Amino acid sequence: MTDKPAMTDKSRMPIRTLTVGRRRGLVLLVGVCSIAFFIADVATPTCLQEAFPAMLAIGVVTAQLTIICVWGTLVRGTFWIRLPWTLLLLVVSWCGFAWGITLEKGYPNTESMLAAAALWTFGFITSFVPLKIAALCFRWQIVHDTEVNPNAGRNFNYAIRDIMIGTLLLAMTMGIGRGMLTGEDISVARALHASGLDSPEPLFAITLYGMVSLLVKLPCIWIALGEKAEKIRSRIGVWVVYCFLLTLFEIGLLLSVLGDPGSESIAIFGGMILSHQLMGAIMLAVCCTLRGLGYRLERSRSPQAERRSDATTAAARLESV
């Protein structure tokens, strides 16, 4: 009787140590991603002068937006708590790009900033909506190995405070972003015109790139967080070939619809191939790091199944009593 509590305390110590280590690793991962992506946002305007580095920069930004959307849609928790924080990350990313435009040109260029805002929003929607649909229809969620009951320890007062803080920071960041623009007329129509989304050819090219990017990135999430550990390397090899063939299909479709871009075709199409490979590599690196911290992708049980499980557990407890 006297030895049992001591054994229980000893058995709990490794769990506590792993929890602290996981939190430190998660904070480190978030910090590295935040700093690296913000630097990439600021540096992106300087890469847009030539086709090849521009495509690589677009790949990094697309991967960043997808990681933000993955956190906003697939991580277990209340969606409405994470939504303002997700939008906050989106606005901060745009602010970094707008700051980069100001540093590169020496003055705030309204047309370029509005074009970036429209493209950021378009990229966010094309990533966020499919991931949210997958989370709702297929009940995908990213959970930690030690999580047992998703409702355990939920504090609604903390949830409301979280929403309020996220909304406040979002409003402040949007105010800062608005202050970075000049006092000229700003409208949705002007932003769409600056980004090219109001013209059929740029809209087709951007939409096709977004669709192919989504088909490239979704398998990365499953490979890193859903597959068995021994199959990850082989699946990555298959994904590299799959990504290359998918990009070739995209290039062929662009050529058939829009025609040959001319002297920069090699730079554009070569950059496009590496762009998809780069964004997939970033997704795999981040998701594999999460897997190393104990996270995994799984399908949650339906509410009816959870209720049946709770009823079975309660009945078993009554029988034992």
Side-chain angles (χ1 to χ4, degrees):
M1 295 294 290
T2 56
D3 293 339
K4 194 171 183 179
M7 293 176 63
T8 304
D9 292 338
K10 288 182 180 179
S11 63
R12 288 178 180 174
M13 287 179 64
I15 298 176
R16 195 179 301 118
T17 303
L18 286 175
T19 302
V20 173
R22 176 179 66 87
R23 288 178 180 175
R24 289 177 180 174
L26 190 59
V27 170
L28 180 61
L29 175 63
V30 172
V32 169
C33 288
S34 299
I35 295 173
F37 282 136
F38 188 77
I39 293 174
D41 291 332
V42 176
T44 296
T46 63
C47 301
L48 300 180
Q49 305 302 323
E50 298 181 2
F52 186 77
M55 294 306 304
L56 297 183
I58 291 172
V60 174
V61 171
T62 306
Q64 172 190 359
L65 295 180
T66 307
I67 291 172
I68 293 174
C69 294
V70 168
W71 179 80
T73 55
L74 298 182
V75 175
R76 172 179 283 176
T78 304
F79 168 72
W80 297 108
I81 296 176
R82 292 195 308 273
L83 181 60
W85 291 92
T86 306
L87 296 176
L88 172 64
L89 294 174
L90 176 69
V91 176
V92 170
S93 174
W94 173 84
C95 285
F97 184 84
W99 187 31
I101 292 175
T102 304
L103 293 177
E104 195 263 337
K105 294 183 176 296
Y107 61 93
N109 188 291
T110 304
E111 295 296 328
S112 299
M113 292 181 180
L114 288 177
L119 292 174
W120 251 246
T121 305
F122 184 81
F124 177 79
I125 292 174
T126 53
S127 296
F128 190 89
V129 173
L131 286 172
K132 187 58 183 176
I133 292 175
L136 292 174
C137 296
F138 302 102
R139 301 193 303 275
W140 282 6
Q141 59 181 4
I142 297 176
V143 299
H144 192 259
D145 290 333
T146 59
E147 295 181 10
V148 178
N149 185 4
N151 298 318
R154 179 174 294 176
N155 189 331
F156 289 96
N157 292 329
Y158 177 77
I160 294 174
R161 184 182 67 182
D162 216 21
I163 295 174
M164 293 178 65
I165 294 174
T167 306
L168 175 63
L169 293 176
L170 175 61
M172 293 174 59
T173 308
M174 292 181 68
I176 294 172
R178 180 62 181 89
M180 297 175 71
L181 298 170
T182 59
E184 304 174 19
D185 178 54
I186 297 175
S187 63
V188 176
R190 187 180 178 187
L192 292 176
H193 179 71
S195 63
L197 292 175
D198 61 341
S199 302
E201 292 184 355
L203 179 60
F204 173 77
I206 295 171
T207 304
L208 180 61
Y209 182 86
M211 293 174 60
V212 172
S213 299
L214 186 65
L215 294 175
V216 165
K217 293 173 293 187
L218 281 178
C220 297
I221 302 172
W222 172 253
I223 291 171
L225 295 173
E227 275 286 7
K228 296 180 180 179
E230 60 271 14
K231 294 183 178 180
I232 291 180
R233 288 188 179 181
S234 61
R235 293 292 186 268
I236 291 177
V238 173
W239 172 85
V240 170
V241 178
Y242 160 80
C243 178
F244 179 74
L245 295 177
L246 195 61
T247 310
L248 290 182
F249 171 78
E250 177 186 9
I251 293 173
L253 195 57
L254 286 174
L255 287 173
S256 63
V257 175
L258 302 180
D260 191 348
S263 60
E264 292 189 343
S265 58
I266 296 178
I268 293 174
F269 296 142
M272 190 178 298
I273 293 173
L274 290 181
S275 174
H276 289 305
Q277 298 280 352
L278 179 60
M279 74 174 70
I282 294 173
M283 291 294 301
L284 285 169
V286 174
C287 292
C288 284
T289 304
L290 286 175
R291 186 187 184 102
L293 295 173
Y295 290 90
R296 68 183 187 277
L297 184 68
E298 69 171 20
R299 294 186 64 181
S300 62
R301 294 185 300 176
S302 63
Q304 295 82 1
E306 290 184 357
R307 284 194 293 268
R308 287 196 298 268
S309 178
D310 292 340
T312 303
T313 303
R317 288 177 179 177
L318 288 175
E319 290 179 359
S320 62
V321 172

